[in-house]
Amino acid sequence: MSRIRYTRRFPVAVLVAGLALAASACGGEAADSTAAVPAASSAQLNPNADISKQSMAISVWPGYTPEDLPARVKAKLGMDVKVALHDTNEVIMAKLTAGSDTGFDVAFVSGQYAQALNEAGLLEPIHPELIPNLANLYPEAKELAYDKGNVFSVPYTWGTTGICYRTDLVKTPPTSWNDILDPPAEALKKVTMMTTERWLALPAIKALGYSVNTRSDDEIAKVKAKLLEAKPKLLGYDDTTFGDKLKSGEAVMVEAWDGWCPTTEKNIKFVVPKEGSDLWVDTMVVLKSSKHKEAAHAFINYILDPEIHGWAAETILYKVPNKAAMDSIDPAIKTANAPLQMTPSQLLAGESIIDLGEDSAKFTRLATEVKAQ
């Protein structure tokens, strides 16, 4: 069983620059913009199209879908699929906002970036009549703040952020984000926080009782002060190797995405702090520039098949918003990986991260200044 190593990191400055170009094109200043491509109407798409005569290209994080996905799709749907890989949201967003047809039909991006792409006019609306397997999704999967009703995106995985810790090396189990920000003596210099800007800010934001989507300059200033106060007590900022540090004992308590907390280890547990946390979602979107929209929707429909979607939960250990898929996975895997047991209602108790537009730069500046000082 493997765990992927990708990050949701994306510098907002790059996003803003890219979307500014797209928006400019939307106003007619660039004739070859993807944003100038009109969305298809339902009447223009054929639910009975011969998909075997179409082909498509996707971009996805490494290890996030089966390695033999193209062969599986070919066997099931008869169409060819080319798979490109992106390590981060940064990489794929730079491509999708470059202002020309990237050749991609479907891209995997985190929810707030799907929102940003849609606001830039780059996404095809989801045509539910072409994705009957949408019925497999939990009802809660339609209540996501960045895209209520799954209008322009289809959720692939979802989860939350919390504290992952060593039960044998921490005297009192953590219950609060303050346990990360002001760790007990045995955890001094043995705590890591995430480096990606929205998640770097998360512990201080929640400890202070603010919204994860705050735009307030005053609140962000107080968040910065709290993060700077915590910094000397940390081992460091880490988005990718915190699980390994925890297993080796180099760290005893870390801020972690639920699926990356190695709870299969005897002495490692995951907890959502009492102040609450976020709800993160990774999604599938159809590019408006896609020339194979029926195939793109057929691909998403295939992914939502319980067998293929269940692969994601069993292999990368992230929960999927697909009831039929979650019901189908081996109960032993759920038992061995406690975060997989979280229910949709527990996840929706977290605050959904949304795109903040130009105000996202405030978090970029916050993270830069905290790490630089």
Side-chain angles (χ1 to χ4, degrees):
M1 189 174 296
S2 63
R3 286 172 184 260
I4 57 169
R5 285 289 179 265
Y6 77 89
T7 175
R8 297 180 177 82
R9 181 180 183 185
F10 187 74
V12 172
V14 177
L15 174 62
V16 170
L19 294 188
L21 176 60
S24 172
C26 203
E29 297 176 17
D32 62 343
S33 167
T34 55
V37 179
S41 68
S42 295
Q44 293 175 300
L45 298 178
N46 179 9
N48 300 313
D50 185 354
I51 302 300
S52 68
K53 294 182 178 178
Q54 299 189 22
S55 61
M56 58 168 295
I58 71 168
S59 188
V60 63
W61 292 287
Y64 222 38
T65 54
E67 288 187 5
D68 63 346
L69 182 63
R72 293 190 187 201
V73 174
K74 182 71 174 179
K76 183 71 175 182
L77 303 177
M79 67 179 184
D80 294 319
V81 175
K82 294 181 179 178
V83 178
L85 301 178
H86 58 263
D87 289 330
T88 65
N89 277 307
E90 173 185 7
V91 172
I92 187 59
M93 291 293 282
K95 291 180 179 177
L96 299 182
T97 58
S100 60
D101 183 359
T102 63
F104 291 122
D105 299 285
V106 172
F108 288 66
V109 296
S110 298
Q112 63 270 38
Y113 304 115
Q115 179 188 358
L117 289 170
N118 184 61
E119 290 173 356
L122 298 178
L123 297 186
E124 174 74 15
I126 296 298
H127 296 270
E129 69 277 13
L130 299 183
I131 312 178
N133 281 340
L134 284 170
N136 291 333
L137 297 181
Y138 289 106
E140 291 88 344
K142 296 183 179 179
E143 300 300 321
L144 304 170
Y146 64 87
D147 182 17
K148 285 186 179 294
N150 309 136
V151 174
F152 54 80
S153 64
V154 175
Y156 180 64
T157 56
W158 59 359
T160 189
T161 308
I163 299 175
C164 186
Y165 65 100
R166 287 282 296 262
T167 59
D168 57 331
L169 298 178
V170 176
K171 293 179 181 177
T172 303
T175 59
S176 166
W177 286 115
N178 285 312
D179 293 317
I180 284 278
L181 298 162
D182 187 17
E186 70 271 18
L188 279 176
K189 294 287 187 180
K190 295 183 178 180
V191 170
T192 67
M193 290 174 53
M194 290 184 170
T195 186
T196 303
E197 53 200 47
R198 299 293 292 273
W199 285 278
L200 182 147
L202 177 66
I205 282 178
K206 286 301 179 183
L208 290 167
Y210 302 150
S211 165
V212 71
N213 298 308
T214 181
R215 301 169 188 261
S216 164
D217 292 334
D218 180 60
E219 290 182 355
I220 291 175
K222 291 176 180 175
V223 167
K224 177 184 174 182
K226 197 167 187 65
L227 291 173
L228 288 175
E229 183 180 349
K231 186 176 179 180
K233 306 168 188 175
L234 303 178
L235 173 64
Y237 300 101
D238 183 358
D239 273 5
T240 56
T241 64
F242 54 76
D244 294 333
K245 288 185 173 71
L246 207 62
K247 285 190 278 188
S248 72
E250 182 181 5
V252 299
M253 195 160 51
V254 300
E255 179 189 6
W257 290 311
D258 46 358
W260 282 17
C261 179
T263 54
T264 49
E265 298 288 322
K266 177 183 176 183
N267 295 317
I268 294 180
K269 286 191 175 180
F270 177 84
V271 63
V272 176
K274 62 184 179 183
E275 297 91 349
S277 189
D278 67 331
L279 166 62
W280 61 259
V281 185
D282 290 338
T283 76
M284 298 176 282
V285 297
V286 178
L287 279 300
K288 191 184 287 184
S289 59
S290 168
K291 297 178 177 60
H292 313 100
K293 291 187 172 67
E294 287 105 342
H297 283 77
F299 171 81
I300 292 175
N301 189 61
Y302 175 69
I303 291 292
L304 296 184
D305 180 275
E307 180 181 354
I308 193 73
H309 214 177
W311 175 95
E314 289 191 340
T315 307
I316 61 179
L317 302 179
Y318 277 170
K319 293 171 286 297
V320 298
N322 184 322
K323 185 179 187 306
M326 290 300 291
D327 287 346
S328 71
I329 70 173
D330 185 344
I333 294 178
K334 288 184 180 178
T335 300
N337 297 276
L340 284 177
Q341 300 166 29
M342 294 182 70
T343 66
S345 61
Q346 288 175 312
L347 287 175
L348 259 67
E351 192 177 8
S352 186
I353 295 176
I354 64 172
D355 175 58
L356 299 177
E358 293 184 355
D359 284 335
S360 296
K362 296 178 180 179
F363 282 88
T364 303
R365 186 163 53 249
L366 169 70
T368 300
E369 292 176 352
V370 167
K371 286 184 281 189
Q373 293 186 28

